[in-house]
Amino acid sequence: MRIFSIVPGILIFASLIAAQENRNIQLMPWPSNIKTTAGGQLVIQNSFSVGLQNNDPRLRKTAEIFLNDLRRHTGSLPLDFAITDQPGQAQLRISSQHPSKEVQELGEDESYKLEVAASGAELTAPTTLGVMRGLQTFLQLIEITPQGFAVSSVVIEDKPRFPWRGLMIDSGRHFMPLDVIKRNIDAMAAVKLNVFHWHLSENQGFRIESKRFPKLQEMGSDGLYYTQAEVRDVISYAHDRGVRVVPEFDMPGHSTSWFVGYPDLASAPGPYSIERKWGVFDPAMDPTRDSTYKFLDAFIGEMAALFPDQFFHIGGDEVNGKQWDANPKIQEFMHSHGLKSDADLQGYFVERVQKIVAKHGKTMEGWDEILRPNMPSSIVIQSWRGQKSLADAAKQGYRGLLSSGYYLDLNYSTTSHYTVDPMSGDAANLTDAEKEKILGGEACMWSEYVSPENMDSRIWPRMAPIAERLWSPQNITDLASMYARMAQVSAWLDAYGLNHNTQYVPMLQRIAGTDDVSALKTLVDLVEPVKGYAREALATSEPTALSPLHRVVDAARPESEAAREFSKLVDAFVSGKIKPGVEAEIRTQLTRWRDNDENLQPLAARSSLVQEVAPLSQNLSAVSVAGLKALEYLDRGEKAPADWETHQLALMQEAFQPKVQVMLMIVPATQKLVQFSAGQTPTTLALPKTPGE
Amino acid sequence: MRIFSIVPGILIFASLIAAQENRNIQLMPWPSNIKTTAGGQLVIQNSFSVGLQNNDPRLRKTAEIFLNDLRRHTGSLPLDFAITDQPGQAQLRISSQHPSKEVQELGEDESYKLEVAASGAELTAPTTLGVMRGLQTFLQLIEITPQGFAVSSVVIEDKPRFPWRGLMIDSGRHFMPLDVIKRNIDAMAAVKLNVFHWHLSENQGFRIESKRFPKLQEMGSDGLYYTQAEVRDVISYAHDRGVRVVPEFDMPGHSTSWFVGYPDLASAPGPYSIERKWGVFDPAMDPTRDSTYKFLDAFIGEMAALFPDQFFHIGGDEVNGKQWDANPKIQEFMHSHGLKSDADLQGYFVERVQKIVAKHGKTMEGWDEILRPNMPSSIVIQSWRGQKSLADAAKQGYRGLLSSGYYLDLNYSTTSHYTVDPMSGDAANLTDAEKEKILGGEACMWSEYVSPENMDSRIWPRMAPIAERLWSPQNITDLASMYARMAQVSAWLDAYGLNHNTQYVPMLQRIAGTDDVSALKTLVDLVEPVKGYAREALATSEPTALSPLHRVVDAARPESEAAREFSKLVDAFVSGKIKPGVEAEIRTQLTRWRDNDENLQPLAARSSLVQEVAPLSQNLSAVSVAGLKALEYLDRGEKAPADWETHQLALMQEAFQPKVQVMLMIVPATQKLVQFSAGQTPTTLALPKTPGE
């Protein structure tokens, strides 16, 4: 799966490895300090062994996991490679100054130093956590060479920029089976993320076994929940990979599924049923009754004992207040307690919950809305609202995490995520002490529109550059380098069973009902799902938790690599920096795309799921014809007529409109060709405005 | 993943569905009786439900598994589809006359009748087993249509030709983790196989936990074994899918791993260590000591209790007798008991073991060698020697299974397996009563050269046509139909997590060290691993259990589909039955192959694993040049010169020689072009003779 060479012609590391030779190093995240040396290469033979300088069970477990990963990445067998009893003889010698903590803590030292030479490699770190990070670096350094798998000599000193680097997975809206969770933890560890934030309850499902309140899962989950034994297994699996597990139980809103079994918790009488639709709903816990807090005390106590992490996420977002407004007793309570608004009432609730969380030894975390004047300074704010919200919190002395800009479910480009920095915007102007409050960030994978089959394709590979943003020095920002390394990491993750690459063609085969899907793949390679919340807005019938996620919009990747490559070609062409062959390459692609519709039509005639993208296929053909015509004008040295250009620009506008919730991504580049052929300065066609974006 | 249309231009079912319209039906195995009707189609909506006419827990479990499979094949979600309490309202109504047996028995009724109309489907069967088979048929009938997923109206009455239809997996030589076993059981059930024969002990590993003799797994497995709980889980998983599990413990040979912990069992003193090489080795159990039988009595007793199946496989193959010959006590024993040969001594051993197996309530099964005059007629012979051996046994009143001709590990073509019939050869001349003794067949997957990563690619899809041979009427033999349907089944199995398709490109990416493997894929698409036992014979260094299986020979498919398609084109061309475009298609392919080497060279320069196939790449180029030149002669209406032809035929001979254990499979077709261009009658180039084949 790895270690892939640099894309020919792009010297991506010239800017990164100052004054060093240009080596084929594809690390992601990029380390703080890297120096290639002239020490030859360490070849990974079957007899490769690891020596441990410390007798620490955690270190041994770490080495075992590493060896298993090494086998997966080299296609080796269980009996290949070993931990040797004679560490001095090992090809890779590992020492850590002390074990990492029994329960992984925020801010534990994750630094490491890795030196590789032909004669062997040394990995040293203050803690086992640093060893884990260093071993991932070692794995990513492996290349296939003329001598077999090997690591070239290098010295790396590395440490994370932020102590909190997370991924949130929403198991509430669509349940995600354990194997999906575990392979994503593998992938998180591979890119040095350290927090798995597990969103476990939602209007659409309560996903964890409570022994104290079993009706939560029995009536609120459709049978789709994790047992406590399974949860402990996940926690242990994550712990072995240096990943903390922070549970989230969203309250007082987003909680319909709790009320199916326990309607008394709600602010209106019920009965309740599991919500099937998406959105913000009226049901909310009743913040005015002591019984609510008694329940939460027992429940939080149970969960606090199950999840060892110091942090406990109580959600706290998006209460519409309707049940509160409609309940006279609650209104009376607000009046008598001087609570002037629903926000005040929510603040009252969160303050009481915070005390319960603290009583059970945990530090409360929640979304922006939980920040209230009376909160203790220990709480952590997860900001879906942005850097300003984060900076405001920091100024008030609160720690925070950035999630705004990192919503993977919204299908934005990798560039858009990669260029979001927790320390930018208002945060850039904080004092050093205030900046310390910004712990890092977390990407969010909300699950309205993902199933176990396609969730990986929304998280990966775009998660990896976000992980780099949170780990690597702030000045690692080169987009070409990022895209090149992301492509390699993406293939690398196949070894862990992630299906973001492997499931793409099978999904297309099911859509088309044939194993020959080349025409469909050509089209779908060039489309992207609509962005932001446009999917809801553009739906022709209301989507629910039961709507199959088997359409082209579900198979299409969030960012079309083929369209991006085409845009680069066109940009090079219209800028006049023409390399030989660029025009021919553009023509070849446009010709293929022009002719693709003919091959797609038989599939469309047979399958409803292909039929619905037939208009896009026709657009692809029409747009390609326009692009070819533009090249023809240019070749003839003839300026394209203005009326032709006008007509084509209108075509481009139409062709770029979303259809069946996907967009044809070669339209902007083709428009540039049209403008260029007409003697105009090419402009970038903006994403069409759609409701919900 | 399904239901794929007919390959355009081939009316594959004309011969199968007498006097019926030609429908897009891709079943494998093909049913005994199928009649398409004009009743429209049953559309599978989200609200699709199954109604059970019997209140039988096994039937309910069967329906649950079916619904889960249905979700996988339509990309639906856990809450879609249901078992309804009002069976009359269901879209699919199921009834079985009685439950299948608690422990699945040989010869249990597996027949079913399935009727589908637009208004609903009825599945009736004498037993739950028949329901399982019928549900697999229903699943395979699903097509994506202009109205969504649907099943066209049809009436099918179906039953198996043979009662024993198996797959043997060797977990001994290379351990296969549980997930590999389970997904293969899923796939077995999908093609209506009913016996999983589990080869659990070998010289290279003892793969199951014995509580009675724990040193078997503790010292004989490198820690790679199944716990009894895991085995029970597999048995239950298989049982739920209508698959019996027959364990094999190979004795008295193939048993080195037993002796590591229990050297006293052996015929020479030891000590022993786990065997790392492949082949037939000297160590064998000592058949002369009572302690051997005492041990086996306890061990077989333990395993007989663990595995509920009636049959118990004791191997019994390939004893070279060297330890016996070298042991004076054993020689003395043979003399005093009138045992004249090692074969006699082995017969003595097997007779005693048979009594032990019988004592524990089981019926003994073994390879050809166990057949001895004194054996009770209950035993079952699994024949690796062929139909003659099977027919001889049947004449003596013994039941048998054919495995000869079904060795999947030997990388022979699907045609070669599909055309082997248990009732052909000597078996064809048996009396009806004798024919009854032939229970069916079992494909064998020996694991010297497979890892968990590529075993699926050796079993699937070639196993599916063997399953058809064992299930379908004997006259279902059309090869074009078989290949077309096999391609569809192959993609269909992706839904169960089989990796025979999905792991191919990731393996090539690891070999090349890049995600752009198009040049390597073009080459590897056209090669096959050497056949039979040539891999050992052609190895440059002795392969062992530790040799990585990550080379091109490990990624290449047993049968090259691209080469087969090319051969068909060339055959059509040289036969004169030229369809428009055939020559152009041949030319396009040859041109692409000629030019491929240029793109492969940069990969070869970087990777040792690509470098080793560089000579094949050069051959591909040279062979393609010859083919193009032949077309040129033909186009010019000019006969190719004799000396040119001679030169090219020599080139073909050389190019068809195995290199690094793979063969370039377009050579024979290209030779035909060369001969044709020289005015010769095209001949089929035979597979090169290699030692070990």
Side-chain angles (χ1 to χ4, degrees), chain B residues 431-454:
Chain B
T431 65
D432 283 353
E434 287 163 352
K435 280 182 178 168
E436 287 283 306
K437 300 291 181 188
I438 296 182
L439 301 175
E442 262 188 18
C444 292
M445 182 66 236
W446 302 104
S447 66
E448 284 93 340
Y449 297 108
V450 288
S451 70
E453 185 178 39
N454 74 343

Side-chain angles (χ1 to χ4, degrees), chain B residues 145-442:
Chain B
T145 75
Q147 287 72 46
F149 291 99
V151 178
S152 287
S153 57
V154 70
V155 179
I156 292 175
E157 288 185 88
D158 198 12
K159 63 178 195 305
R161 180 173 165 220
F162 292 107
W164 190 308
R165 307 176 307 279
L167 167 64
M168 188 218 75
I169 289 179
D170 172 9
S171 290
R173 288 171 175 83
H174 278 122
F175 180 72
M176 294 294 154
L178 279 188
D179 60 334
V180 178
I181 299 297
K182 284 189 171 179
R183 71 188 182 219
N184 275 283
I185 291 172
D186 275 333
M188 288 176 69
V191 296
K192 301 184 172 62
L193 292 169
N194 67 359
V195 180
F196 168 44
H197 168 176
W198 206 354
H199 187 82
L200 283 162
S201 66
E202 254 308 331
N203 296 311
Q204 294 80 10
F206 192 94
R207 302 303 183 193
I208 187 170
E209 174 193 24
S210 167
K211 294 182 191 292
R212 184 71 186 77
F213 302 107
K215 281 190 284 186
L216 286 169
Q217 75 273 12
E218 283 167 9
M219 298 178 70
S221 77
D222 300 297
L224 299 167
Y225 65 92
Y226 310 103
T227 66
Q228 293 199 1
E230 288 170 338
V231 168
R232 270 188 288 268
D233 179 43
V234 167
I235 293 167
S236 157
Y237 192 86
H239 184 65
D240 287 341
R241 285 154 183 81
V243 175
R244 298 164 41 211
V245 180
V246 175
E248 177 184 352
F249 298 96
D250 209 345
M251 56 183 85
H254 285 282
S255 51
T256 308
S257 66
W258 306 52
F259 306 152
V260 185
Y262 299 94
D264 287 354
L265 278 175
S267 304
Y272 291 88
S273 59
I274 298 174
E275 184 59 58
R276 300 298 182 205
K277 297 180 180 177
W278 309 130
V280 174
F281 298 94
D282 300 348
M285 292 179 188
D286 187 339
T288 69
R289 296 165 65 180
D290 280 338
S291 57
T292 301
Y293 301 102
K294 200 173 154 208
F295 182 101
L296 290 175
D297 187 10
F299 176 75
I300 291 172
E302 181 183 12
M303 292 300 136
L306 180 61
F307 289 90
D309 199 79
Q310 179 58 37
F311 294 84
F312 195 94
H313 201 303
I314 61 104
D317 55 324
E318 295 185 327
V319 180
N320 72 13
K322 289 191 186 167
Q323 278 197 346
W324 295 343
D325 299 345
N327 182 328
K329 280 196 187 161
I330 292 176
Q331 291 302 311
E332 165 56 29
F333 180 93
M334 286 170 69
H335 185 71
S336 66
H337 285 71
L339 300 165
K340 297 198 166 52
S341 66
D342 291 338
D344 284 350
L345 180 59
Q346 183 169 349
Y348 171 85
F349 172 82
V350 171
E351 282 170 30
R352 289 195 62 173
V353 169
Q354 189 275 325
K355 290 188 179 70
I356 295 170
V357 171
K359 171 184 154 191
H360 293 292
K362 302 291 183 180
T363 303
M364 189 174 81
E365 186 191 352
W367 301 97
D368 303 74
E369 290 95 323
I370 69 162
L371 187 55
R372 305 279 305 168
N374 296 337
M375 282 292 153
S377 64
S378 64
I379 67 164
V380 172
I381 307 299
Q382 180 169 16
S383 179
W384 61 273
R385 289 182 176 162
Q387 284 97 332
K388 181 174 186 318
S389 177
L390 207 57
D392 289 349
K395 284 182 200 157
Q396 297 172 56
Y398 293 103
R399 295 179 294 181
L401 301 173
L402 187 65
S403 283
S404 170
Y406 302 141
Y407 272 34
L408 294 166
D409 57 305
L410 302 186
N411 291 308
Y412 287 115
S413 73
T414 312
T415 297
S416 79
H417 297 308
Y418 191 62
T419 51
V420 170
D421 195 294
M423 289 299 184
S424 67
D426 287 33
N429 301 319
L430 296 174
T431 65
D432 283 353
E434 287 163 352
K435 280 182 178 168
E436 287 283 306
K437 300 291 181 188
I438 296 182
L439 301 175
E442 262 188 18

Side-chain angles (χ1 to χ4, degrees), chain B residues 42 44 71 107 121-122 143 335 341 366 441 485 489 501 527 567 668:
Chain B
L42 173 63
I44 312 284
R71 290 175 194 118
E122 297 275 355
E143 296 175 86
H335 185 71
S341 66
R485 289 177 296 122
V489 167
N501 293 315
V527 306
S567 294

Side-chain angles (χ1 to χ4, degrees), chain A residues 211-223:
Chain A
K211 294 182 191 295
R212 184 72 186 77
F213 301 105
K215 283 191 281 185
L216 285 169
Q217 74 272 12
E218 283 166 11
M219 301 179 69
S221 78
D222 298 296

Side-chain angles (χ1 to χ4, degrees), chain A residues 4 46 74 80 513-514 546 550, chain B residues 4 46 74 80 145 513-514 546 550:
Chain A
F4 315 97
N46 278 13
T74 59
D80 298 334
T514 172
L546 283 73
H550 62 188
Chain B
F4 313 96
N46 277 13
T74 57
D80 298 334
T145 75
T514 170
L546 284 72
H550 63 187

